[in-house]
Structure formats: structure tokens, C-alpha cells
Amino acid sequence: MLFPSFTLPSFCLWGIRNAFIEAAKSSGVAPLPFPSQNTITLDIRRAAAAQNVVQYMSLWAGQATQLFNDGLSAEEVIHRIVDEATPMLR
């Protein structure tokens, strides 16, 4: 599941929901402005990356993820992209 970034509210970034994101969201504490929030969470994210624990990493999904339909498999997404792009390439 995706939700708007809590660290960069002025941008349209989306994070993949994990334990880190859920804890930040449910804390009730307003995030600091960028880059302060990023800086104070750096040690947590570095340790998680070193241990390959994705539940405590920042997993940004990009700007256009809201354009995808829930429930589509990766295969269906690729087929849709190919189907939409093919006429443009002719």
C-alpha cells in the first residue's frame, strides 16, 4: 500500500508502507522539514540497509504510482504499457 510522503509534503512522492513508515505516521508527531527529517533518521535507515531489513528503510516508489490501479499484477501493468505505447511507435 502506498501513502503520500511524510517527510517531503510539498512534493508528490509516495513511500511503500513498512514498519518505519507506519511508526512515523502513527506517532502523531509532525515530521521535520526536509532535509532535517532525513538527517535524524539516517542512522536507522543505514543500519536497516546494512542488515537488509526493508521494514526500516525509506522505500520511495516515485511520483506516478497513484496512476496504477490497485490489484494489477506486474505482468498486467507491463501489458498495459506495451498496449498503450505500441500505437505511438508506429
Side-chain angles (χ1 to χ4, degrees), residues 28-81:
V29 177
L32 298 171
F34 185 81
S36 300
Q37 184 75 25
N38 189 58
T39 301
I40 66 166
T41 60
L42 182 60
D43 290 342
I44 296 168
R45 294 179 290 107
R46 268 197 191 141
Q51 297 172 44
N52 199 29
V53 179
V54 297
Q55 286 299 318
Y56 293 94
M57 293 181 196
S58 294
L59 302 173
W60 299 116
Q63 297 178 5
T65 55
Q66 67 272 20
L67 299 176
F68 288 115
N69 293 323
D70 288 343
L72 290 180
S73 69
E75 180 182 13
E76 291 168 318
V77 170
I78 297 299
H79 283 292
R80 179 181 282 180
I81 291 169

